[in-house]
């Protein structure tokens, strides 16, 4: 669709919105480091096990292959035939941009890359990206809540109880709003006069729909690449000789991931680190080990 405006990464980086997000991240990092011990952080350089650090590196980057497998399975019913490697590269690139720009603007860059490389409609590609963001949210949220109850039983820490009290209603309302958009979109388009907006919404909605034939591959690949992210954190713990039980690894990994959705900073930068400091304290990791662990 030629009416769609191209995405300019250079222009987005220097907007007031992006600069504001960098400022928010900087402020959160000041808070994060305010209680850190520089000596503990520097000493972690001497006791790190490079073997487990390399395993963590491999686990993280291998996860992009499974992300690409899932994405291809979602697009395949519409005739998409791009390679897994190409989709892995695009996923890595736009998720890296998400770590620089706020409010998941990297996803818009991802749809732009799909247009450049495969000729896909940008709004259709963005709809597919948005769909797997929702799938990730459901999976990560479920894993975080499940592991919290497994780890703490009925004695949930106040911080976790607060997250459930306020986060769960927001989560449910978000899913309800998406369901309304899918099944009652004609009411929305009925109040919009612009034909261009109609076409963009229709294309986005088409990309946002999941073909049931792709569901098994989507479920398995989602579980595999998030398992690799948990393995990444476990290997970093082993690299620093920090003893953390597997269920605690799952809890910290997925609960921290929920903070990447904070819209005021790039991919939750700063907010994730502060959250991990609290989460690690809940599972008994001392600050002397927690700060280097978070940074690694």
């Amino acid at each position: 669709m030629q009416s769609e405006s191209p995405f300019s990464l250079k222009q987005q980086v220097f907007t007031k919105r992006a600069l504001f997000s960098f400022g928010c991240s900087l402020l959160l990092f000041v808070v994060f480091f305010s209680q850190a011990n520089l000596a503990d952080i520097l000493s972690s350089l001497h006791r790190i096990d490079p073997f487990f650090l390399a395993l963590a590196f491999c686990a993280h980057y291998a996860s992009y292959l499974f992300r690409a497998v899932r994405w291809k399975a979602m697009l395949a019913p519409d005739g998409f035939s791009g390679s897994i490697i190409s989709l892995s590269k695009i996923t890595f690139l736009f998720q890296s941009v998400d770590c620089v720009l706020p409010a998941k603007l990297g996803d818009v860059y991802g749809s732009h890359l799909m247009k450049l490389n495969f000729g896909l409609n940008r709004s259709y590609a963005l709809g597919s990206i948005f769909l797997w963001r929702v799938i990730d949210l459901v999976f990560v949220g479920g894993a975080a809540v499940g592991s919290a109850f497994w780890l703490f039983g009925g004695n949930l820490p106040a911080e976790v109880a607060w997250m459930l009290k306020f986060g769960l209603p927001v989560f449910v309302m978000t899913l309800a709003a998406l369901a309304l958009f899918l099944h009652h979109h004609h009411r929305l388009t009925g109040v919009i006069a612009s034909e261009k907006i109609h076409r963009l919404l229709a294309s986005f909605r088409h990309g946002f729909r999941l073909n049931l034939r792709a569901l098994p591959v989507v479920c398995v690949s989602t579980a595999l690449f998030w398992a690799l992210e948990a393995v990444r954190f476990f290997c970093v713990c082993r690299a620093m000789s920090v003893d953390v039980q597997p269920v605690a690894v799952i809890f910290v990994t997925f609960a921290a991931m929920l903070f990447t959705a904070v819209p005021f900073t790039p991919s939750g930068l700063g907010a994730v680190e502060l959250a991990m400091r609290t989460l690690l304290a809940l599972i008994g990791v001392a600050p002397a080990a927690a700060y280097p662990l978070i940074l690694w």
Side-chain angles (χ1 to χ4, degrees):
M1 187 183 301
Q2 297 303 321
S3 58
E4 295 179 5
S5 300
F7 182 91
S8 174
L9 183 58
K10 182 178 180 180
Q11 291 178 1
Q12 293 292 337
V13 169
F14 296 103
T15 61
K16 292 181 180 179
R17 177 175 50 191
L19 295 175
F20 172 76
S21 72
F22 296 149
C24 289
S25 291
L26 180 60
L27 178 61
L28 292 173
F29 269 113
V30 169
V31 175
F32 174 73
F33 282 110
S34 62
Q35 299 178 1
N37 188 313
L38 183 60
D40 291 334
I41 295 173
L42 292 176
S43 67
S44 71
L45 294 171
H46 301 288
R47 66 174 186 269
I48 197 78
D49 186 332
F51 173 73
F52 282 104
L53 198 62
L55 286 182
F57 180 91
C58 292
H60 174 68
Y61 286 99
S63 72
Y64 286 101
L65 291 172
F66 292 104
R67 295 172 201 262
V69 168
R70 180 180 69 173
W71 200 4
K72 182 170 182 177
M74 292 166 61
L75 298 174
D78 292 319
F80 180 81
S81 58
S83 70
I84 298 298
I85 297 300
S86 296
L87 285 177
S88 298
K89 293 176 182 178
I90 289 175
T91 304
F92 171 75
L93 284 172
F94 83 77
Q95 292 202 315
S96 298
V97 172
D98 268 332
C99 296
V100 178
L101 298 178
K104 299 295 182 183
L105 284 177
D107 293 1
V108 180
Y109 182 56
S111 67
H112 177 64
L113 291 176
M114 293 297 280
K115 171 72 172 181
L116 292 179
N117 288 274
F118 302 110
L120 292 186
N121 186 291
R122 291 189 185 94
S123 53
Y124 168 79
L126 185 61
S128 69
I129 294 172
F130 195 74
L131 173 59
W132 55 260
R133 290 292 188 195
V134 173
I135 294 171
D136 286 345
L137 181 62
V138 171
F139 185 89
V140 170
V145 172
S147 59
F149 279 103
W150 186 4
L151 187 61
F152 301 110
N155 301 313
L156 290 176
E159 295 87 346
V160 178
W162 181 88
M163 287 175 60
L164 288 176
K165 182 178 179 180
F166 292 96
L168 194 58
V170 173
F171 175 70
V172 172
M173 287 188 293
T174 300
L175 291 182
L178 292 172
L180 286 174
F181 171 72
L182 279 176
H183 297 288
H184 300 283
H185 64 284
H186 55 279
R187 295 184 180 180
L188 176 62
T189 55
V191 298
I192 300 175
S194 173
E195 188 63 29
K196 174 184 175 182
I197 299 298
H198 287 183
R199 291 196 300 269
L200 291 174
L201 286 175
S203 181
F204 178 89
R205 179 176 172 272
H206 183 58
F208 188 64
R209 295 184 71 90
L210 177 63
N211 190 296
L212 292 180
R213 288 179 297 174
L215 192 59
V217 176
V218 168
C219 292
V220 172
S221 55
T222 298
L224 286 174
F225 76 70
W226 280 117
L228 284 171
E229 290 295 348
V231 169
R232 171 184 61 86
F233 181 61
F234 175 77
C235 288
V236 173
C237 292
R238 288 296 304 270
M240 294 188 58
S241 300
V242 176
D243 188 20
V244 180
Q245 57 181 311
V247 64
V249 168
I250 295 171
F251 169 66
V252 173
T253 300
F254 295 126
M257 283 293 176
L258 293 175
F259 285 85
T260 62
V262 174
F264 301 111
T265 65
S267 201
L269 186 64
V272 172
E273 287 72 21
L274 282 172
M276 285 194 71
R277 186 181 68 178
T278 300
L279 294 170
L280 289 171
L282 292 178
I283 63 173
V285 178
Y291 280 94
L293 184 61
I294 292 168
L295 292 175
W296 277 110

